[in-house]
Amino acid sequence: MKNFFSLILFSAFLCFSSCKKESNPIVSKEPFKIISIDSTDLPNFFLKFPDLKKYQSELENIYAKHNNNIIWKNEHGIKEFANVLHHKIQNLNEDGINIEIPHFKEFDQIFSHDDESKLSDVEKDILISSMYFHYVEEAFKGIDEKITEKIGWLLPRKKTDFTNFLDSLIVNPKLLDEDKHTVIPQYHKLKFQLHRLNEIDKNGNWAILPKEDKKLTNLKFGDSSKFVLDIKNNLHLLGDLKLNNKTPFFDDDLKKALISFQKRHNRIIDSTKISQKTINDLNVSPKERIKKILLNMERCRWLDPELMNGKEYVFVNIPAYHLNYVKNNKTAFDCNVVVGKSASKTVIFSGNMSYIVFSPYWNVPQSIINKEVKPGMKKEGQNYLTRHHMEWNNGRVRQTPGDHNSLGLVKFIFPNSNNIYLHDTPSKSLFNKESRAFSHGCIRVGKPKDLAVAILKDDKNWTEEKINKAMHTGKENSYVLKNKIPVIIGYFTAWVNENNELIMYEDIYERDDKLSNLILH
């Protein structure tokens, strides 16, 4: 019996030894050889891939930085970021970019299990590098700066060094979606909304309401109608109606949803009835909303992220008629504003707020002197100046400080060649209107004293009482800020707020269609 068990153990040992040898054959591993790129490799590459020659200078720089060695492969194979890049380029539509990618077939083949591209390791490496520059150009740079200047976008563009950025991405690929120095955070928020609306569009459940129907516009809270089912359907798809009870009643749930929807479309709130404007907004299809998001993602590419990465800044979005003062990444103050009329558009640019003027004079622009003051004086003589609290000042005209002054009681100066600034106004009723494009180009602030208080909060020289007094002395007084504050005047017709709600604004200067012709095909 003892010999029998010994025989079994010996057989088991032989079997284990045999199986172990079969599953783990001895393989002599050669050390990974660094592959160099010589002076003929790039010219030869462009003969095969002529559409990528535009990246020649970037490729020369990036390989010089890496001692003319390949970048994308090591002893473990293709580096992780190369696979991330492949996925990003495969799904460029997620960034709102629908273009034909040059030489994508050959690029795609590199990542295939049965790579039949017949490219050398050097050619594969240069192709991946070229695709890297192609991706960042499309996803982060957007259309050429010369074109954006021609269409009136004078905000500074980011000069990102994507050659140096690559080293960081290879170490941490997540930076591609997280790095706040590459693109403003708003870009990623809009990208999320793009994905959400694409899903709504795919489902095809969007309802179109009659354009003009009294049965619809006469609907009031408590009424019942077949149209309510369609209204609830659309509001539910957009997320304003959390739970769709699918009843035809204009109930409390619909009322709350309408408030949410009207806020997100920058409308005056009236949830007791279905206005024509609400119907028009509800009829904007997912496809049209997607288009608006794509246009504003493109605008995000043009804005230097450093402008919004500082300790504090003032942001005015022209179509929103709104100002936000951001401090330590949080909104410290916000209010409605009045912007330039279509004939005197507020310029899209940035500057640094340097000083505040209390009880300011208004130096009347020459254009207004010619169009309004001189014709008025021709009719009324000196009485025109007296009636408007104006006086001659070295051949020019200025309006004296006080409640009557067109600039109100305070103005905020960020010196610029456009002669645009933020200021108070005696015309307070305009801030209650839904559309607020009434000025000659400058930006009228709805709560100017509160803005001054917020800006000077940490300045020991000022209290709210002192600010109020300075605004009412009737004598001009300028105060230089201890720290200059960036002021950004932008133009976004779609924006995701701090609560991750997508807000849609009217294209008051009709810029969306012009941009659409440039980027959407």
Side-chain angles (χ1 to χ4, degrees):
M1 193 71 166
K2 185 177 179 182
N3 290 337
F4 175 72
F5 281 116
S6 299
L7 182 62
I8 291 174
L9 288 170
F10 180 69
S11 300
F13 172 75
L14 288 175
C15 179
F16 174 77
S17 300
S18 174
C19 292
K20 188 176 181 182
K21 283 178 183 176
E22 286 180 13
S23 60
N24 292 282
I26 297 172
V27 178
S28 59
K29 288 187 177 180
E30 294 183 11
F32 176 72
K33 292 181 180 178
I34 297 174
I35 301 171
S36 297
I37 294 174
D38 65 35
S39 59
T40 63
D41 286 328
L42 276 175
N44 289 335
F45 174 82
F46 295 132
L47 291 175
K48 281 189 178 181
F49 302 95
D51 293 338
L52 300 175
K53 196 175 190 305
K54 61 180 179 177
Y55 302 119
Q56 181 173 348
S57 61
E58 289 94 336
L59 292 167
E60 287 172 351
N61 289 338
I62 205 165
Y63 283 110
K65 188 174 186 293
H66 287 84
N67 300 315
N68 291 317
N69 295 322
I70 64 169
I71 298 168
W72 299 95
K73 192 176 181 181
N74 57 22
E75 64 271 20
H76 304 296
I78 293 178
K79 293 179 182 178
E80 180 190 356
F81 180 58
N83 289 296
V84 171
L85 180 64
H86 177 232
H87 175 77
K88 289 287 185 183
I89 291 176
Q90 273 184 316
N91 298 280
L92 259 177
N93 61 313
E94 292 181 2
D95 285 275
I97 300 165
N98 296 292
I99 58 169
E100 187 175 336
I101 301 162
H103 302 292
F104 180 75
K105 183 180 178 182
E106 295 91 334
F107 174 66
D108 189 43
Q109 194 67 48
I110 295 172
F111 300 89
S112 171
H113 291 297
D114 54 339
D115 182 0
E116 297 176 357
S117 62
K118 297 180 181 178
L119 298 176
S120 67
D121 284 341
V122 166
E123 288 172 325
K124 289 177 184 177
D125 204 82
I126 298 173
L127 183 54
I128 297 172
S129 297
S130 300
M131 287 299 179
Y132 165 71
F133 287 114
H134 178 70
Y135 176 75
V136 296
E137 179 181 70
E138 295 293 341
F140 298 137
K141 292 182 180 179
I143 60 177
D144 190 84
E145 187 172 358
K146 292 177 182 177
I147 297 173
T148 58
E149 285 180 358
K150 284 181 181 178
I151 60 175
W153 187 277
L154 302 179
L155 285 165
R157 299 278 291 259
K158 176 69 175 176
K159 307 294 183 186
T160 304
D161 186 345
F162 286 105
T163 299
N164 288 329
F165 189 45
L166 177 59
D167 291 337
S168 301
L169 290 171
I170 288 173
V171 174
N172 182 11
K174 290 182 180 178
L175 284 175
L176 199 62
D177 293 321
E178 297 173 357
D179 186 70
K180 64 181 182 179
H181 300 286
T182 306
V183 69
I184 63 172
Q186 182 64 205
Y187 178 86
H188 296 295
K189 290 183 177 183
L190 286 171
K191 186 175 175 178
F192 175 80
Q193 296 293 334
L194 174 65
H195 173 74
R196 192 172 68 87
L197 280 163
N198 274 323
E199 290 301 310
I200 293 172
D201 187 46
K202 283 179 189 175
N203 292 335
N205 295 328
W206 193 259
I208 300 298
L209 299 164
K211 288 185 178 179
E212 292 184 14
D213 191 315
K214 289 185 178 180
K215 290 180 181 178
L216 185 54
T217 52
N218 287 337
L219 267 178
K220 296 185 292 297
F221 180 70
D223 289 347
S224 174
S225 167
K226 62 178 182 179
F227 294 127
V228 170
L229 294 171
D230 288 337
I231 293 169
K232 285 183 175 180
N233 173 75
N234 288 5
L235 289 172
H236 179 63
L237 289 173
L238 292 173
D240 298 288
L241 181 63
K242 303 305 176 187
L243 182 65
N244 187 1
N245 55 28
K246 297 184 179 181
T247 64
F249 299 106
F250 194 152
D251 51 23
D252 279 320
D253 288 343
L254 178 54
K255 190 175 178 180
K256 290 174 185 175
L258 284 170
I259 292 171
S260 169
F261 180 76
Q262 288 168 352
K263 280 183 179 177
R264 291 196 309 102
H265 289 74
N266 209 33
R267 301 298 187 192
I268 292 173
I269 305 302
D270 184 359
S271 59
T272 60
K273 61 182 181 181
I274 309 293
S275 69
Q276 188 60 53
K277 281 189 177 179
T278 297
I279 294 166
N280 294 342
D281 290 336
L282 280 167
N283 273 341
V284 177
S285 69
K287 274 189 171 61
E288 291 174 273
R289 294 171 188 273
I290 287 167
K291 177 182 173 181
K292 214 169 185 71
I293 288 175
L294 296 181
L295 297 176
N296 288 280
M297 286 177 71
E298 177 67 20
R299 289 180 175 124
C300 288
R301 296 183 182 104
W302 307 342
L303 187 58
D304 185 350
E306 296 303 323
L307 285 172
M308 292 183 167
N309 285 339
K311 182 182 177 183
E312 57 183 336
Y313 62 88
V314 172
F315 175 57
V316 176
N317 187 11
I318 295 170
Y321 309 115
H322 205 75
L323 175 150
N324 282 73
Y325 170 52
V326 179
K327 195 168 185 177
N328 299 321
N329 296 316
K330 291 183 179 179
T331 298
F333 169 81
D334 72 292
C335 71
N336 291 337
V337 298
V338 168
V339 300
K341 296 177 286 190
S342 183
S344 51
K345 299 177 179 67
T346 299
V347 183
I348 301 165
F349 77 111
S350 67
N352 290 310
M353 189 186 296
S354 306
Y355 59 99
I356 300 174
V357 182
F358 298 102
S359 295
Y361 279 99
W362 177 41
N363 296 304
V364 183
Q366 192 62 47
S367 59
I368 297 177
I369 292 173
N370 294 337
K371 290 180 182 178
E372 298 177 24
V373 177
K374 285 183 177 179
M377 290 183 68
K378 193 173 182 180
K379 288 182 180 179
E380 300 180 45
Q382 184 65 31
N383 287 338
Y384 179 87
L385 294 178
T386 304
R387 189 163 59 84
H388 289 87
H389 305 276
M390 291 179 177
E391 60 187 27
W392 287 108
N393 180 39
N394 297 322
R396 302 297 300 272
V397 178
R398 68 180 185 180
Q399 192 175 43
T400 58
D403 291 331
H404 54 267
N405 191 283
S406 294
L407 303 184
L409 302 173
V410 60
K411 65 179 180 178
F412 306 82
I413 304 298
F414 41 106
N416 61 86
S417 59
N418 302 298
N419 197 28
I420 288 178
Y421 43 88
L422 306 173
H423 66 86
D424 181 18
T425 177
S427 305
K428 303 297 184 184
S429 63
L430 297 178
F431 295 102
N432 298 322
K433 294 183 178 293
E434 193 171 273
S435 177
R436 295 188 293 277
F438 298 107
S439 82
H440 287 91
C442 285
I443 298 160
R444 303 175 190 174
V445 182
K447 297 178 181 178
K449 188 190 85 170
D450 294 337
L451 176 59
V453 169
I455 288 172
L456 297 171
K457 183 179 179 182
D458 298 326
D459 192 325
K460 294 179 181 178
N461 294 318
W462 292 95
T463 62
E464 185 174 347
E465 184 181 356
K466 283 184 178 180
I467 289 170
N468 193 55
K469 185 177 179 181
M471 288 172 65
H472 291 87
T473 58
K475 184 179 179 181
E476 187 173 270
N477 174 28
S478 297
Y479 180 73
V480 178
L481 298 176
K482 292 181 177 178
N483 298 304
K484 293 180 179 180
I485 301 171
V487 177
I488 306 156
I489 303 175
Y491 193 94
F492 293 89
T493 53
W495 189 265
V496 180
N497 65 15
E498 291 177 336
N499 298 321
N500 290 317
E501 297 168 325
L502 176 64
I503 317 293
M504 294 289 194
Y505 303 111
E506 285 190 7
D507 179 21
I508 60 172
Y509 294 162
E510 299 180 347
R511 295 178 181 268
D512 280 1
D513 285 344
K514 293 175 185 176
L515 178 56
S516 177
N517 292 334
L518 289 171
I519 68 166
L520 301 180
H521 306 289

